[in-house]
Amino acid sequence: MRSRSADAPSATGKTMIEYASPPYKIALVAPYGNLSAMFARVAEGLPCSLAVRMGVALEEAVAAARQLINSEQPEVICSRGGSADYIQSQVDVPVVTVSTTALDLLRVLLPFQGKIHKAAFFNYQEPLPEVQAVARALGMEIREYLFHTREEKSSRMLEAAAEGAQLGVGGALVAGMRELCGVDGIVLEAGEDAVRRALREAFAIARIRRVELQRQARTMTILNTIAEGIMVTDENNALTLINPAAENILQIKADEAVGRDARDVVPNTRTWNVLHNGTSELNELQDINGQTIVTNRVPIRMNGRSIGVVCTFAGAERIRQAEQRLRGRQRAHGFEARWRLADILTRNAGMKELKKLAAGYAETDASVLIQGESGSGKELFAQGMHLASRRAAAPFVAVNCAAIPPSLLESELFGYEEGAFTGARRKGKAGYFELAHEGTLFLDEISEMPYHLQARLLRVLQEREVMRVGGAQMIPIDVRIICATNRNLQALAARGLFRQDLFYRCNVLPLHIPPLRERGNDILYLACHFLRKAARGAACTGLDREALDKELGDLLREHAWPGNVRELANVMERLALISGLFPQRSLRELFSRTRAQESGPCVCGGSDPFTPPPPDSGETLREIARRAEYEAITRQLSACNGDYARAARRLGISRVSLWRKLRERPNIAETEEDGGDSSMK
């Protein structure tokens, strides 16, 4: 037998990769020595290893087979006649019988043709077909004697001698016939064809057995590792399989329960009912050892009748937790915090203490109330505390209570069931509390929450469970609450505009973020940071802190910054863009113009691209844009001393685009005649 090579082409012409299979492990229990020699000769070159025990038959063959099983772990055992049957009845390893045929009998008796007239043929259990055909061909009488045991064979040999047999033919025990009864005995040996047939059958059995063992190994691995409990009964309701999860849930030992009636092992089981009525029972609740489990009972059907029942079950609490985790992963995708406490930049001692306090708050699950003006960084602190907590891997869900209409806020926070109101989604929708399960829910501008919803929020904070709009069941949640507001929540509570009990529940861990104007050197430090970040390699002058302090320090410190850090970041981004377009202007002048534009429209004359033309100029929007673009290019060329390549790089365009835009010079003659200056002074 030859195995296909690893890269042999398949029937479709495509190369298939096959992994070499280890040799088949074959054991031979040989009643006589010639059989082992023939096996070795035939097996040479075949994909098998051969282990042999010789000179044993019947009961002795069983002992030899067991020794081979213990030492060699064969996949198949081969033996002759009665020895093969004896072995097969005593061991679990498949056994192949090396059969003899009428042709083998003819081959043995042919040399005695004309010399003897009566022969005895001893065969194990069943008669050999065509024995009488051999007798007629040889012209002699052949009588067949059947036996089952060693003692019975000896008795049959004595019987044959008494009936006048001149020669005995049979298995290995016939060799002792002369000593027993004075008649010569010849061992009937299997031919080479019989050995080849036996090996082919052994290989086929070994191959099928390997496939079956692999299938069993996979099945048992699945059963042993699956989280659900699995229990199987047979047609008599006796337990045949219990996996480890079932052992744990049912609090029983599989080796003690298998073989017993399921009703004697599992309380309240209905396997007997399912077995007899053939109807599945799905998602049934069952009380086992003080816990509620969800179980499925399905009959095993074959040929129209039930031959057993498969039960699967799991703890109801574990199913609920798994469902909530799955729901959270599916719907909370994208609810992630990005900023850590370390990302909050500051040189201010008070802010550093505040970050340290926030890091301490992160170690607990108590509610936090962050108060501070708009733009001061309240959400940054909330995200930082989330990422510094044990909930960092769970969702961070941010909700702006002022941005959601009051009529929708309740359903968004607590979720709703199908049909709760007109327009509700099919199958309902999870609210923000459910989406934030095991994570953090950030309620920004909580002061704007409608008064009637504050009572529901208070109950959620106290009971740690929510009920969806239109629902009838409480859903347990594990959520850390961080609230934020830019108003004095305590004053609102004192005036009756905010529930006092909710204020105290939210204000377990208070955090007050000072406005930017009270943070001293942080203004200049953050301004330089935002300016560098916004410049992105453009020709932005004065990006070092000393130059920025010299030109803008007093202006930055004098400004009130009502928008706090957010306003500062926006102003610096605008300043970086303008300074790149007009490098001849100082940062102080550009900053003043920027601040003036925020205060109101600029009325400066001339062709300054920051100043829109008068309403009656007659210029179209395209002409205005072309004029501003042309003047920006000419100023950049002037700053680069006429180096077109360098100017193009600064402007972020190609040299070809720069040349094209210069050729499209707008008509500014009228402006020049009026004495206007196209460059910024």
Side-chain angles (χ1 to χ4, degrees), residues 245-278:
E247 287 184 296
N248 183 52
I249 295 173
L250 301 176
Q251 298 181 13
I252 59 176
K253 296 292 185 181
D255 54 358
E256 298 175 359
V258 169
R260 298 173 58 190
D261 192 302
R263 292 169 294 183
D264 297 333
V265 178
V266 183
N268 306 321
T269 185
R270 289 179 50 81
T271 54
W272 178 262
N273 305 70
V274 174
L275 179 66
H276 284 274
N277 61 34

PDB file of all heavy atoms in Angstrom, residues 245-278:
ATOM      1  N   ALA A 245     -19.267  20.814  32.937  1.00  0.00           N
ATOM      2  CA  ALA A 245     -20.148  21.930  33.301  1.00  0.00           C
ATOM      3  C   ALA A 245     -21.418  21.412  33.968  1.00  0.00           C
ATOM      4  O   ALA A 245     -21.923  22.004  34.929  1.00  0.00           O
ATOM      5  CB  ALA A 245     -20.492  22.755  32.059  1.00  0.00           C
ATOM      6  N   ALA A 246     -21.948  20.289  33.469  1.00  0.00           N
ATOM      7  CA  ALA A 246     -23.138  19.701  34.083  1.00  0.00           C
ATOM      8  C   ALA A 246     -22.822  19.181  35.481  1.00  0.00           C
ATOM      9  O   ALA A 246     -23.644  19.291  36.399  1.00  0.00           O
ATOM     10  CB  ALA A 246     -23.673  18.575  33.203  1.00  0.00           C
ATOM     11  N   GLU A 247     -21.641  18.601  35.648  1.00  0.00           N
ATOM     12  CA  GLU A 247     -21.240  18.150  36.985  1.00  0.00           C
ATOM     13  C   GLU A 247     -21.258  19.311  37.968  1.00  0.00           C
ATOM     14  O   GLU A 247     -21.729  19.179  39.102  1.00  0.00           O
ATOM     15  CB  GLU A 247     -19.834  17.544  36.932  1.00  0.00           C
ATOM     16  CG  GLU A 247     -19.743  16.192  36.266  1.00  0.00           C
ATOM     17  CD  GLU A 247     -18.331  15.634  36.342  1.00  0.00           C
ATOM     18  OE1 GLU A 247     -17.419  16.248  35.749  1.00  0.00           O
ATOM     19  OE2 GLU A 247     -18.132  14.609  37.002  1.00  0.00           O
ATOM     20  N   ASN A 248     -20.736  20.458  37.524  1.00  0.00           N
ATOM     21  CA  ASN A 248     -20.657  21.619  38.404  1.00  0.00           C
ATOM     22  C   ASN A 248     -22.045  22.174  38.726  1.00  0.00           C
ATOM     23  O   ASN A 248     -22.339  22.506  39.879  1.00  0.00           O
ATOM     24  CB  ASN A 248     -19.796  22.697  37.740  1.00  0.00           C
ATOM     25  CG  ASN A 248     -19.603  23.907  38.626  1.00  0.00           C
ATOM     26  OD1 ASN A 248     -19.211  23.791  39.779  1.00  0.00           O
ATOM     27  ND2 ASN A 248     -19.888  25.079  38.091  1.00  0.00           N
ATOM     28  N   ILE A 249     -22.900  22.267  37.713  1.00  0.00           N
ATOM     29  CA  ILE A 249     -24.232  22.835  37.933  1.00  0.00           C
ATOM     30  C   ILE A 249     -25.097  21.892  38.760  1.00  0.00           C
ATOM     31  O   ILE A 249     -25.796  22.316  39.686  1.00  0.00           O
ATOM     32  CB  ILE A 249     -24.901  23.146  36.578  1.00  0.00           C
ATOM     33  CG1 ILE A 249     -24.123  24.250  35.848  1.00  0.00           C
ATOM     34  CG2 ILE A 249     -26.353  23.568  36.770  1.00  0.00           C
ATOM     35  CD1 ILE A 249     -24.602  24.510  34.435  1.00  0.00           C
ATOM     36  N   LEU A 250     -25.047  20.596  38.424  1.00  0.00           N
ATOM     37  CA  LEU A 250     -25.890  19.622  39.118  1.00  0.00           C
ATOM     38  C   LEU A 250     -25.284  19.131  40.424  1.00  0.00           C
ATOM     39  O   LEU A 250     -25.960  18.462  41.208  1.00  0.00           O
ATOM     40  CB  LEU A 250     -26.148  18.420  38.200  1.00  0.00           C
ATOM     41  CG  LEU A 250     -26.835  18.720  36.862  1.00  0.00           C
ATOM     42  CD1 LEU A 250     -26.939  17.454  36.026  1.00  0.00           C
ATOM     43  CD2 LEU A 250     -28.213  19.317  37.093  1.00  0.00           C
ATOM     44  N   GLN A 251     -23.980  19.447  40.621  1.00  0.00           N
ATOM     45  CA  GLN A 251     -23.258  19.022  41.827  1.00  0.00           C
ATOM     46  C   GLN A 251     -23.278  17.499  41.975  1.00  0.00           C
ATOM     47  O   GLN A 251     -23.642  16.946  43.020  1.00  0.00           O
ATOM     48  CB  GLN A 251     -23.848  19.701  43.069  1.00  0.00           C
ATOM     49  CG  GLN A 251     -23.728  21.221  43.038  1.00  0.00           C
ATOM     50  CD  GLN A 251     -24.295  21.884  44.273  1.00  0.00           C
ATOM     51  OE1 GLN A 251     -24.570  21.234  45.280  1.00  0.00           O
ATOM     52  NE2 GLN A 251     -24.478  23.198  44.212  1.00  0.00           N
ATOM     53  N   ILE A 252     -22.901  16.827  40.883  1.00  0.00           N
ATOM     54  CA  ILE A 252     -22.812  15.367  40.887  1.00  0.00           C
ATOM     55  C   ILE A 252     -21.505  14.964  40.223  1.00  0.00           C
ATOM     56  O   ILE A 252     -20.846  15.776  39.571  1.00  0.00           O
ATOM     57  CB  ILE A 252     -23.997  14.720  40.134  1.00  0.00           C
ATOM     58  CG1 ILE A 252     -24.024  15.203  38.672  1.00  0.00           C
ATOM     59  CG2 ILE A 252     -25.312  15.003  40.828  1.00  0.00           C
ATOM     60  CD1 ILE A 252     -25.100  14.534  37.843  1.00  0.00           C
ATOM     61  N   LYS A 253     -21.114  13.705  40.394  1.00  0.00           N
ATOM     62  CA  LYS A 253     -19.933  13.144  39.755  1.00  0.00           C
ATOM     63  C   LYS A 253     -20.374  12.263  38.592  1.00  0.00           C
ATOM     64  O   LYS A 253     -21.224  11.382  38.759  1.00  0.00           O
ATOM     65  CB  LYS A 253     -19.112  12.325  40.749  1.00  0.00           C
ATOM     66  CG  LYS A 253     -18.533  13.142  41.894  1.00  0.00           C
ATOM     67  CD  LYS A 253     -17.464  14.107  41.392  1.00  0.00           C
ATOM     68  CE  LYS A 253     -16.802  14.838  42.561  1.00  0.00           C
ATOM     69  NZ  LYS A 253     -15.772  15.795  42.090  1.00  0.00           N
ATOM     70  N   ALA A 254     -19.778  12.486  37.430  1.00  0.00           N
ATOM     71  CA  ALA A 254     -20.195  11.744  36.245  1.00  0.00           C
ATOM     72  C   ALA A 254     -19.990  10.248  36.421  1.00  0.00           C
ATOM     73  O   ALA A 254     -20.859   9.445  36.047  1.00  0.00           O
ATOM     74  CB  ALA A 254     -19.429  12.248  35.020  1.00  0.00           C
ATOM     75  N   ASP A 255     -18.842   9.842  36.992  1.00  0.00           N
ATOM     76  CA  ASP A 255     -18.570   8.413  37.113  1.00  0.00           C
ATOM     77  C   ASP A 255     -19.531   7.724  38.078  1.00  0.00           C
ATOM     78  O   ASP A 255     -19.731   6.508  38.007  1.00  0.00           O
ATOM     79  CB  ASP A 255     -17.123   8.179  37.547  1.00  0.00           C
ATOM     80  CG  ASP A 255     -16.762   8.944  38.807  1.00  0.00           C
ATOM     81  OD1 ASP A 255     -17.618   9.690  39.317  1.00  0.00           O
ATOM     82  OD2 ASP A 255     -15.618   8.795  39.284  1.00  0.00           O
ATOM     83  N   GLU A 256     -20.152   8.497  38.975  1.00  0.00           N
ATOM     84  CA  GLU A 256     -21.126   7.916  39.895  1.00  0.00           C
ATOM     85  C   GLU A 256     -22.545   7.937  39.327  1.00  0.00           C
ATOM     86  O   GLU A 256     -23.394   7.148  39.742  1.00  0.00           O
ATOM     87  CB  GLU A 256     -21.111   8.680  41.222  1.00  0.00           C
ATOM     88  CG  GLU A 256     -19.778   8.612  41.956  1.00  0.00           C
ATOM     89  CD  GLU A 256     -19.775   9.470  43.205  1.00  0.00           C
ATOM     90  OE1 GLU A 256     -20.819  10.123  43.472  1.00  0.00           O
ATOM     91  OE2 GLU A 256     -18.751   9.499  43.913  1.00  0.00           O
ATOM     92  N   ALA A 257     -22.793   8.848  38.371  1.00  0.00           N
ATOM     93  CA  ALA A 257     -24.154   9.017  37.855  1.00  0.00           C
ATOM     94  C   ALA A 257     -24.408   8.246  36.568  1.00  0.00           C
ATOM     95  O   ALA A 257     -25.543   7.816  36.313  1.00  0.00           O
ATOM     96  CB  ALA A 257     -24.438  10.501  37.621  1.00  0.00           C
ATOM     97  N   VAL A 258     -23.388   8.083  35.727  1.00  0.00           N
ATOM     98  CA  VAL A 258     -23.579   7.405  34.445  1.00  0.00           C
ATOM     99  C   VAL A 258     -24.066   5.976  34.685  1.00  0.00           C
ATOM    100  O   VAL A 258     -23.525   5.241  35.512  1.00  0.00           O
ATOM    101  CB  VAL A 258     -22.272   7.412  33.627  1.00  0.00           C
ATOM    102  CG1 VAL A 258     -22.391   6.489  32.416  1.00  0.00           C
ATOM    103  CG2 VAL A 258     -21.943   8.825  33.173  1.00  0.00           C
ATOM    104  N   GLY A 259     -25.105   5.598  33.936  1.00  0.00           N
ATOM    105  CA  GLY A 259     -25.697   4.271  34.078  1.00  0.00           C
ATOM    106  C   GLY A 259     -26.936   4.255  34.943  1.00  0.00           C
ATOM    107  O   GLY A 259     -27.725   3.307  34.881  1.00  0.00           O
ATOM    108  N   ARG A 260     -27.132   5.298  35.737  1.00  0.00           N
ATOM    109  CA  ARG A 260     -28.314   5.366  36.599  1.00  0.00           C
ATOM    110  C   ARG A 260     -29.454   6.080  35.885  1.00  0.00           C
ATOM    111  O   ARG A 260     -29.239   6.853  34.948  1.00  0.00           O
ATOM    112  CB  ARG A 260     -27.974   6.095  37.901  1.00  0.00           C
ATOM    113  CG  ARG A 260     -26.918   5.402  38.745  1.00  0.00           C
ATOM    114  CD  ARG A 260     -26.511   6.268  39.926  1.00  0.00           C
ATOM    115  NE  ARG A 260     -27.655   6.611  40.767  1.00  0.00           N
ATOM    116  CZ  ARG A 260     -27.610   7.508  41.754  1.00  0.00           C
ATOM    117  NH1 ARG A 260     -26.472   8.159  41.996  1.00  0.00           N
ATOM    118  NH2 ARG A 260     -28.686   7.761  42.474  1.00  0.00           N
ATOM    119  N   ASP A 261     -30.673   5.845  36.343  1.00  0.00           N
ATOM    120  CA  ASP A 261     -31.838   6.527  35.791  1.00  0.00           C
ATOM    121  C   ASP A 261     -31.731   8.018  36.109  1.00  0.00           C
ATOM    122  O   ASP A 261     -31.420   8.407  37.241  1.00  0.00           O
ATOM    123  CB  ASP A 261     -33.118   5.956  36.391  1.00  0.00           C
ATOM    124  CG  ASP A 261     -34.367   6.423  35.646  1.00  0.00           C
ATOM    125  OD1 ASP A 261     -34.587   7.646  35.555  1.00  0.00           O
ATOM    126  OD2 ASP A 261     -35.110   5.556  35.158  1.00  0.00           O
ATOM    127  N   ALA A 262     -31.971   8.861  35.095  1.00  0.00           N
ATOM    128  CA  ALA A 262     -31.832  10.309  35.271  1.00  0.00           C
ATOM    129  C   ALA A 262     -32.730  10.832  36.382  1.00  0.00           C
ATOM    130  O   ALA A 262     -32.378  11.787  37.084  1.00  0.00           O
ATOM    131  CB  ALA A 262     -32.144  11.029  33.962  1.00  0.00           C
ATOM    132  N   ARG A 263     -33.886  10.203  36.587  1.00  0.00           N
ATOM    133  CA  ARG A 263     -34.811  10.662  37.620  1.00  0.00           C
ATOM    134  C   ARG A 263     -34.271  10.436  39.016  1.00  0.00           C
ATOM    135  O   ARG A 263     -34.682  11.114  39.965  1.00  0.00           O
ATOM    136  CB  ARG A 263     -36.162   9.955  37.455  1.00  0.00           C
ATOM    137  CG  ARG A 263     -36.922  10.360  36.197  1.00  0.00           C
ATOM    138  CD  ARG A 263     -38.112   9.466  35.940  1.00  0.00           C
ATOM    139  NE  ARG A 263     -37.701   8.096  35.616  1.00  0.00           N
ATOM    140  CZ  ARG A 263     -38.534   7.116  35.293  1.00  0.00           C
ATOM    141  NH1 ARG A 263     -39.840   7.364  35.248  1.00  0.00           N
ATOM    142  NH2 ARG A 263     -38.083   5.905  35.002  1.00  0.00           N
ATOM    143  N   ASP A 264     -33.338   9.500  39.163  1.00  0.00           N
ATOM    144  CA  ASP A 264     -32.745   9.236  40.473  1.00  0.00           C
ATOM    145  C   ASP A 264     -31.563  10.153  40.760  1.00  0.00           C
ATOM    146  O   ASP A 264     -31.071  10.194  41.890  1.00  0.00           O
ATOM    147  CB  ASP A 264     -32.273   7.776  40.549  1.00  0.00           C
ATOM    148  CG  ASP A 264     -33.426   6.798  40.409  1.00  0.00           C
ATOM    149  OD1 ASP A 264     -34.562   7.179  40.768  1.00  0.00           O
ATOM    150  OD2 ASP A 264     -33.186   5.666  39.932  1.00  0.00           O
ATOM    151  N   VAL A 265     -31.114  10.876  39.733  1.00  0.00           N
ATOM    152  CA  VAL A 265     -29.911  11.701  39.885  1.00  0.00           C
ATOM    153  C   VAL A 265     -30.235  13.191  39.850  1.00  0.00           C
ATOM    154  O   VAL A 265     -29.715  13.971  40.651  1.00  0.00           O
ATOM    155  CB  VAL A 265     -28.886  11.363  38.773  1.00  0.00           C
ATOM    156  CG1 VAL A 265     -27.656  12.257  38.887  1.00  0.00           C
ATOM    157  CG2 VAL A 265     -28.496   9.896  38.837  1.00  0.00           C
ATOM    158  N   VAL A 266     -31.106  13.597  38.920  1.00  0.00           N
ATOM    159  CA  VAL A 266     -31.397  15.016  38.708  1.00  0.00           C
ATOM    160  C   VAL A 266     -32.797  15.328  39.216  1.00  0.00           C
ATOM    161  O   VAL A 266     -33.780  14.773  38.704  1.00  0.00           O
ATOM    162  CB  VAL A 266     -31.296  15.379  37.212  1.00  0.00           C
ATOM    163  CG1 VAL A 266     -31.540  16.875  37.017  1.00  0.00           C
ATOM    164  CG2 VAL A 266     -29.938  14.972  36.658  1.00  0.00           C
ATOM    165  N   PRO A 267     -32.916  16.206  40.204  1.00  0.00           N
ATOM    166  CA  PRO A 267     -34.250  16.559  40.714  1.00  0.00           C
ATOM    167  C   PRO A 267     -35.078  17.265  39.640  1.00  0.00           C
ATOM    168  O   PRO A 267     -34.554  18.042  38.842  1.00  0.00           O
ATOM    169  CB  PRO A 267     -33.942  17.514  41.881  1.00  0.00           C
ATOM    170  CG  PRO A 267     -32.499  17.295  42.210  1.00  0.00           C
ATOM    171  CD  PRO A 267     -31.837  16.877  40.949  1.00  0.00           C
ATOM    172  N   ASN A 268     -36.354  16.985  39.627  1.00  0.00           N
ATOM    173  CA  ASN A 268     -37.318  17.664  38.746  1.00  0.00           C
ATOM    174  C   ASN A 268     -37.040  17.462  37.261  1.00  0.00           C
ATOM    175  O   ASN A 268     -37.535  18.227  36.431  1.00  0.00           O
ATOM    176  CB  ASN A 268     -37.349  19.182  39.032  1.00  0.00           C
ATOM    177  CG  ASN A 268     -37.594  19.492  40.490  1.00  0.00           C
ATOM    178  OD1 ASN A 268     -38.394  18.821  41.140  1.00  0.00           O
ATOM    179  ND2 ASN A 268     -36.894  20.486  41.012  1.00  0.00           N
ATOM    180  N   THR A 269     -36.247  16.476  36.898  1.00  0.00           N
ATOM    181  CA  THR A 269     -35.964  16.293  35.478  1.00  0.00           C
ATOM    182  C   THR A 269     -37.188  15.757  34.747  1.00  0.00           C
ATOM    183  O   THR A 269     -38.023  15.050  35.328  1.00  0.00           O
ATOM    184  CB  THR A 269     -34.780  15.335  35.268  1.00  0.00           C
ATOM    185  OG1 THR A 269     -34.466  15.286  33.870  1.00  0.00           O
ATOM    186  CG2 THR A 269     -35.121  13.928  35.735  1.00  0.00           C
ATOM    187  N   ARG A 270     -37.297  16.100  33.471  1.00  0.00           N
ATOM    188  CA  ARG A 270     -38.421  15.652  32.647  1.00  0.00           C
ATOM    189  C   ARG A 270     -37.923  14.847  31.448  1.00  0.00           C
ATOM    190  O   ARG A 270     -38.590  14.778  30.414  1.00  0.00           O
ATOM    191  CB  ARG A 270     -39.230  16.863  32.175  1.00  0.00           C
ATOM    192  CG  ARG A 270     -40.022  17.539  33.296  1.00  0.00           C
ATOM    193  CD  ARG A 270     -40.787  18.754  32.773  1.00  0.00           C
ATOM    194  NE  ARG A 270     -41.554  18.470  31.579  1.00  0.00           N
ATOM    195  CZ  ARG A 270     -42.757  17.896  31.564  1.00  0.00           C
ATOM    196  NH1 ARG A 270     -43.335  17.550  32.710  1.00  0.00           N
ATOM    197  NH2 ARG A 270     -43.392  17.672  30.426  1.00  0.00           N
ATOM    198  N   THR A 271     -36.746  14.262  31.559  1.00  0.00           N
ATOM    199  CA  THR A 271     -36.208  13.484  30.440  1.00  0.00           C
ATOM    200  C   THR A 271     -37.111  12.304  30.097  1.00  0.00           C
ATOM    201  O   THR A 271     -37.251  11.939  28.924  1.00  0.00           O
ATOM    202  CB  THR A 271     -34.798  12.976  30.773  1.00  0.00           C
ATOM    203  OG1 THR A 271     -34.831  12.266  32.022  1.00  0.00           O
ATOM    204  CG2 THR A 271     -33.818  14.132  30.880  1.00  0.00           C
ATOM    205  N   TRP A 272     -37.723  11.695  31.112  1.00  0.00           N
ATOM    206  CA  TRP A 272     -38.603  10.551  30.866  1.00  0.00           C
ATOM    207  C   TRP A 272     -39.803  10.976  30.026  1.00  0.00           C
ATOM    208  O   TRP A 272     -40.201  10.279  29.086  1.00  0.00           O
ATOM    209  CB  TRP A 272     -39.051   9.946  32.196  1.00  0.00           C
ATOM    210  CG  TRP A 272     -39.988   8.789  32.047  1.00  0.00           C
ATOM    211  CD1 TRP A 272     -41.346   8.801  32.146  1.00  0.00           C
ATOM    212  CD2 TRP A 272     -39.626   7.438  31.754  1.00  0.00           C
ATOM    213  NE1 TRP A 272     -41.866   7.548  31.937  1.00  0.00           N
ATOM    214  CE2 TRP A 272     -40.823   6.682  31.696  1.00  0.00           C
ATOM    215  CE3 TRP A 272     -38.413   6.789  31.539  1.00  0.00           C
ATOM    216  CZ2 TRP A 272     -40.833   5.320  31.429  1.00  0.00           C
ATOM    217  CZ3 TRP A 272     -38.427   5.428  31.277  1.00  0.00           C
ATOM    218  CH2 TRP A 272     -39.624   4.712  31.224  1.00  0.00           C
ATOM    219  N   ASN A 273     -40.373  12.149  30.334  1.00  0.00           N
ATOM    220  CA  ASN A 273     -41.521  12.642  29.569  1.00  0.00           C
ATOM    221  C   ASN A 273     -41.131  12.919  28.120  1.00  0.00           C
ATOM    222  O   ASN A 273     -41.858  12.559  27.188  1.00  0.00           O
ATOM    223  CB  ASN A 273     -42.063  13.923  30.209  1.00  0.00           C
ATOM    224  CG  ASN A 273     -42.408  13.732  31.676  1.00  0.00           C
ATOM    225  OD1 ASN A 273     -41.523  13.566  32.502  1.00  0.00           O
ATOM    226  ND2 ASN A 273     -43.697  13.747  32.008  1.00  0.00           N
ATOM    227  N   VAL A 274     -39.981  13.580  27.927  1.00  0.00           N
ATOM    228  CA  VAL A 274     -39.539  13.905  26.571  1.00  0.00           C
ATOM    229  C   VAL A 274     -39.222  12.632  25.794  1.00  0.00           C
ATOM    230  O   VAL A 274     -39.506  12.527  24.595  1.00  0.00           O
ATOM    231  CB  VAL A 274     -38.306  14.836  26.624  1.00  0.00           C
ATOM    232  CG1 VAL A 274     -37.735  15.073  25.229  1.00  0.00           C
ATOM    233  CG2 VAL A 274     -38.674  16.162  27.276  1.00  0.00           C
ATOM    234  N   LEU A 275     -38.641  11.638  26.475  1.00  0.00           N
ATOM    235  CA  LEU A 275     -38.303  10.374  25.822  1.00  0.00           C
ATOM    236  C   LEU A 275     -39.552   9.692  25.272  1.00  0.00           C
ATOM    237  O   LEU A 275     -39.540   9.143  24.162  1.00  0.00           O
ATOM    238  CB  LEU A 275     -37.580   9.461  26.815  1.00  0.00           C
ATOM    239  CG  LEU A 275     -37.178   8.073  26.312  1.00  0.00           C
ATOM    240  CD1 LEU A 275     -36.122   8.189  25.224  1.00  0.00           C
ATOM    241  CD2 LEU A 275     -36.670   7.214  27.463  1.00  0.00           C
ATOM    242  N   HIS A 276     -40.644   9.737  26.019  1.00  0.00           N
ATOM    243  CA  HIS A 276     -41.838   8.989  25.625  1.00  0.00           C
ATOM    244  C   HIS A 276     -42.785   9.778  24.734  1.00  0.00           C
ATOM    245  O   HIS A 276     -43.461   9.180  23.887  1.00  0.00           O
ATOM    246  CB  HIS A 276     -42.575   8.492  26.875  1.00  0.00           C
ATOM    247  CG  HIS A 276     -41.910   7.306  27.508  1.00  0.00           C
ATOM    248  ND1 HIS A 276     -42.154   6.017  27.116  1.00  0.00           N
ATOM    249  CD2 HIS A 276     -40.963   7.230  28.475  1.00  0.00           C
ATOM    250  CE1 HIS A 276     -41.415   5.183  27.828  1.00  0.00           C
ATOM    251  NE2 HIS A 276     -40.678   5.891  28.667  1.00  0.00           N
ATOM    252  N   ASN A 277     -42.843  11.109  24.901  1.00  0.00           N
ATOM    253  CA  ASN A 277     -43.749  11.848  24.012  1.00  0.00           C
ATOM    254  C   ASN A 277     -43.038  12.395  22.779  1.00  0.00           C
ATOM    255  O   ASN A 277     -43.687  12.864  21.837  1.00  0.00           O
ATOM    256  CB  ASN A 277     -44.476  12.976  24.761  1.00  0.00           C
ATOM    257  CG  ASN A 277     -43.506  14.006  25.347  1.00  0.00           C
ATOM    258  OD1 ASN A 277     -42.469  14.302  24.776  1.00  0.00           O
ATOM    259  ND2 ASN A 277     -43.870  14.560  26.507  1.00  0.00           N
ATOM    260  N   GLY A 278     -41.697  12.349  22.774  1.00  0.00           N
ATOM    261  CA  GLY A 278     -40.941  12.755  21.589  1.00  0.00           C
ATOM    262  C   GLY A 278     -41.014  14.230  21.270  1.00  0.00           C
ATOM    263  O   GLY A 278     -40.688  14.643  20.153  1.00  0.00           O
TER     264      GLY A 278
END
